Structure formats: structure tokens, C-alpha cells
Amino acid sequence: QKEVEQNSGPLSVPEGAIASLNCTYSDRGSQSFFWYRQYSGKSPELIMFIYSNGDKEDGRFTAQLNKASQYVSLLIRDSQPSDSATYLCAVNRYNFNKFYFGSGTKLNVKP
Amino acid sequence: DAGVIQSPRHEVTEMGQEVTLRCKPISGHDYLFWYRQTMMRGLELLIYFNNNVPIDDSGMPEDRFSAKMPNASFSTLKIQPSEPRDSAVYFCASSPDRGGGELFFGEGSRLTVL
């Protein structure tokens, strides 16, 4: 079983819609959760992080964490074509500080 | 700050040759990570350092791979001898703290082994 699982997609949404990206993780000791965006040919860049159960909002992005279900999600409201990229979920455990990444979900936002 | 700096950006070599990838982390970051990314396997952690000391190299695929961090501002990842299956993008990343902080990635080194 992989440490972090994501649906590879592609996920296609029309411009202006809500895109919902999901991730599950296997290590219950995981304490930090991250969403990175990676454009084709570029390096990953941090979109959001979340440490506590519940929702965390930052502009058009909302991260949701449910530790009991070992589930993390990212919602992108008012999706734009510029949001088209691969979204990587990552988890970390403080005492090991090893970041595990999912394989990523490719998002296509159609104009 | 200039960010994490990697070189070379692109490397094309022939099977059996030695490859050395270089990384300069962000000043003040205590952690340095080497990742490999392929379409098939995604981002894989190869090795990471804390204060120049290798902490976990369990992701290094074989003895052909080695990594060093002689000082806080420089790290190398060496492949000797290289094989076509080593073709990938190799990312270096650094992190400022132990508490699950953000990873800052370099632009990557795209390696092609013919």
C-alpha cells in the first residue's frame, strides 16, 4: 500500500466550476498535510498546508482534513484555466520529517 | 533569497557514464531532500539530510546512487554507472524546520541516459 493515494485523473471541470481533489494516506501518525501544484515541466510549488481537522480557506482554495478517515481534500472555487496543472498531496510526520507524495491528480479547466 | 539552485538543468549521457547532480539549498534551511520524479512512479524520496548528515537513504535505489552534503550550502547526487532506467527529473528541496514545514523545490535536473 502506498503512503499517499490520489486519483491520477485527469479531472476536467469547466471554467468557474468547483474542482474537488482528494487524497488518502496510510500512516495515522502523519501530522502535516500539504497540497502542491505542479505545472508541466516545472517544479512543485506549495498551495496550502493544513495541520488540524476541519477546513482551512485561502482565497479560492480550501483544504479539508479528516484524520479519523485519513482523508485530505482540496477544493478550488471559480476554477480558472490557469489552475490546469497536476496537484500533489503530501504528508509528513514531525519526528521523521519525511515528506511522502501522492502520484498527483491532473486537473484540466476548460474555458 | 535565490531559492534552491540545481545544476545542470538538463543532462544527456550514455549508459555507463558517471552523472553528478548538484544542489545549493536555501541559506538557513536545516533539511535537504533529493527526489526523483517519473511518470510511472511519481515523486520518490531518495535521501534526506539534516544539518549535513544523511538521515534516511532508504529510497536510494541501488549502490550506483550516492549522495553527499559536505557543507550546509552544497549537496551532490551521483550515479555511477548510469543506466537508461535512471532517466528522470531529479529534484532537490530544502526545508527550514523539523516541524513539518514546507518543502522548497529547485527547478530540477532532467536526466536522460541513452
Side-chain angles (χ1 to χ4, degrees):
Chain A
Q1 182 185 11
K2 288 187 175 181
E3 296 279 349
V4 182
E5 300 269 8
Q6 291 182 257
N7 188 322
S8 62
L11 174 65
S12 292
V13 300
E15 183 176 355
I18 295 175
S20 177
L21 305 164
N22 305 313
C23 166
T24 58
Y25 60 95
S26 61
D27 183 0
R28 286 194 172 274
S30 299
Q31 295 163 297
S32 312
F33 307 87
F34 305 84
W35 283 100
Y36 282 79
R37 177 177 62 198
Q38 187 176 25
Y39 292 113
S40 180
K42 301 295 185 181
S43 59
E45 56 178 340
L46 183 70
I47 298 297
M48 289 195 70
F49 61 88
I50 186 167
Y51 299 148
S52 303
N53 275 328
D55 295 359
K56 180 181 179 181
E57 186 174 319
D58 183 1
R60 294 187 298 112
F61 299 94
T62 298
Q64 299 174 317
L65 173 61
N66 183 325
K67 290 187 178 180
S69 300
Q70 296 174 245
Y71 179 89
V72 192
S73 65
L74 178 70
L75 300 178
I76 307 175
R77 290 181 299 281
D78 189 23
S79 296
Q80 301 296 310
S82 59
D83 295 327
S84 297
T86 296
Y87 289 79
L88 301 165
C89 174
V91 304
N92 188 17
R93 190 173 182 175
Y94 289 177
N95 51 339
F96 297 118
N97 206 31
K98 288 178 71 169
F99 291 79
Y100 291 101
F101 283 82
S103 56
T105 298
K106 186 174 176 59
L107 173 66
N108 291 327
V109 181
K110 298 182 177 181
Chain B
D1 201 313
V4 177
I5 299 173
Q6 292 186 246
S7 64
R9 293 293 311 282
H10 301 274
E11 175 91 3
V12 180
T13 191
E14 293 188 345
M15 182 173 62
Q17 297 298 305
E18 178 179 294
V19 174
T20 300
L21 307 178
R22 300 172 178 81
C23 175
K24 176 179 169 56
I26 294 172
S27 177
H29 283 192
D30 296 330
Y31 288 85
L32 183 139
F33 303 78
W34 282 101
Y35 283 88
R36 177 173 68 177
Q37 187 174 41
T38 60
M39 288 293 292
M40 290 296 295
R41 301 174 68 91
L43 261 177
E44 299 175 279
L45 177 63
L46 300 178
I47 184 172
Y48 77 97
F49 296 83
N50 179 24
N51 292 323
N52 314 338
V53 176
I55 301 301
D56 189 330
D57 65 354
S58 60
M60 296 286 261
E62 319 173 13
D63 291 344
R64 298 185 296 105
F65 285 70
S66 63
K68 294 182 180 180
M69 192 166 186
N71 58 62
S73 59
F74 183 67
S75 177
T76 60
L77 178 68
K78 185 175 294 186
I79 308 172
Q80 167 62 18
S82 58
E83 297 183 2
R85 58 186 167 138
D86 301 331
S87 298
V89 180
Y90 291 81
F91 286 105
C92 176
S94 66
S95 179
D97 59 39
R98 181 185 179 87
E102 174 186 354
L103 277 180
F104 293 80
F105 283 85
E107 294 187 329
S109 294
R110 180 175 295 276
L111 173 64
T112 302
V113 183
L114 303 175

